[in-house]
Amino acid sequence: MQKPVLIPIEPSYGDPTTLIFLGGSVVEPTVTPEPISQWWWLIRALGWQGAIAQLEWDSELNLTLEELAQAGDDAPALWNHARKQYKRIGKSFLPKLLWQADITQASFLAIAQGTQVAYYCLREWVEQDLHVQDVIFLDGLVKRDQRQNWFKVLENIQGCLFNHYNGEDLVLHRFCQVLGWSRSPCGIKPIRDKSHQLLNLDTAKVMTTALHSTQGYEKILGQWVRPHWQEDTL
């Protein structure tokens, strides 16, 4: 595995918190499902005033639905290998990269495979001089039950975890079916925990289809995340 890199994207407009974009996709074989510039525009349109950075890792780790389906019986093994790398990236590389970049306050915007990276980063968090404010999950691929130690994730977040889930997302349903998962991940159903910091948000009410793009995410982020970010700037 090539070492992940943290790429500065946009400078701060005055807010000391840096948004770390952890982009993945279950439908495209790339780190981001479309040009990253589309995401910069959306993040700014939502009211984000801090700096923006992107964590890049091997695109080969972003196993898509098509790739897993073609792998047949080998699909679970391929996924487990990739998941171990997500854990390594989140646990070892991301905190070190934040420290090296002199980032002391961060928020995460994590999509698909990126939710695995963010989850393991927060579950194993030991860096006392770095503070994570808010975490946003889209197309989450992390298991929802309490055995996943979600309480450890939440206690390492200063603000909120926005878990957007969509029970009507046929792409994610098929993704789980190919892997033989008996339980839905947090992108399909709510995380099973109770905390004022955890916001399980049903996006099926806003997204009529599972559109895995900035166009699809713009409505749901605008409904729940924009008011939160704008409130923080007041």
Side-chain angles (χ1 to χ4, degrees):
M1 182 186 76
Q2 297 179 356
K3 288 186 177 180
V5 293
L6 188 63
I7 303 173
I9 300 298
E10 288 266 329
S12 173
Y13 291 176
D15 192 305
T17 306
T18 299
L19 182 71
I20 309 300
F21 182 76
L22 308 170
S25 175
V26 294
V27 293
E28 296 286 344
T30 56
V31 172
T32 52
E34 53 196 320
I36 183 64
S37 59
Q38 295 292 321
W39 280 101
W40 307 338
W41 175 87
L42 175 57
I43 289 167
R44 289 304 189 197
L46 292 170
W48 182 257
Q49 297 296 306
I52 303 172
Q54 177 191 1
L55 181 68
E56 275 197 359
W57 56 83
D58 284 350
S59 60
E60 293 181 357
L61 294 177
N62 285 356
L63 297 170
T64 66
L65 173 57
E66 181 180 359
E67 291 170 329
L68 290 172
Q70 291 176 348
D73 293 341
D74 293 330
L78 286 176
W79 171 259
N80 286 331
H81 170 75
R83 183 178 55 79
K84 290 178 181 178
Q85 299 307 314
Y86 305 145
K87 182 177 182 178
R88 183 183 175 196
I89 294 169
K91 179 181 178 179
S92 301
F93 285 101
L94 182 51
K96 182 178 180 180
L97 288 168
L98 293 174
W99 178 79
Q100 290 175 339
D102 198 28
I103 295 174
T104 58
Q105 298 182 57
S107 288
F108 296 158
L109 172 54
I111 306 172
Q113 294 88 349
T115 62
Q116 285 268 335
V117 174
Y119 165 77
Y120 283 116
C121 176
L122 292 164
R123 197 186 73 173
E124 308 292 338
W125 193 261
V126 295
E127 179 55 65
Q128 298 297 318
D129 296 328
L130 300 176
H131 301 282
V132 178
Q133 184 61 29
D134 296 316
V135 178
I136 301 164
F137 275 11
L138 299 167
D139 300 339
L141 296 177
V142 185
K143 293 181 179 180
R144 305 174 293 114
D145 55 79
Q146 294 176 339
R147 290 177 297 178
Q148 295 297 107
N149 289 329
W150 282 103
F151 72 93
K152 291 194 65 177
V153 172
L154 293 169
E155 72 180 10
N156 287 319
I157 298 174
Q158 305 293 315
C160 297
L161 169 58
F162 294 79
N163 179 50
H164 298 87
Y165 69 94
N166 184 354
E168 299 179 8
D169 190 328
L170 300 181
V171 175
L172 279 184
H173 273 291
R174 178 57 179 156
F175 191 88
C176 298
Q177 184 181 36
V178 169
L179 290 174
W181 289 356
S182 59
R183 297 180 180 177
S184 301
C186 63
I188 293 178
K189 292 184 179 181
I191 294 170
R192 294 174 178 171
D193 209 334
K194 301 295 182 182
S195 170
H196 69 280
Q197 292 178 279
L198 175 60
L199 303 177
N200 282 306
L201 305 167
D202 185 356
T203 65
K205 301 174 182 177
V206 181
M207 294 176 65
T208 55
T209 60
L211 184 59
H212 296 249
S213 69
T214 51
Q215 288 181 322
Y217 299 130
E218 183 177 1
K219 290 183 179 180
I220 61 177
L221 293 175
Q223 178 163 327
W224 289 296
V225 176
R226 179 188 282 119
H228 179 73
W229 283 352
Q230 291 180 342
E231 180 181 343
D232 287 345
T233 61
L234 297 178

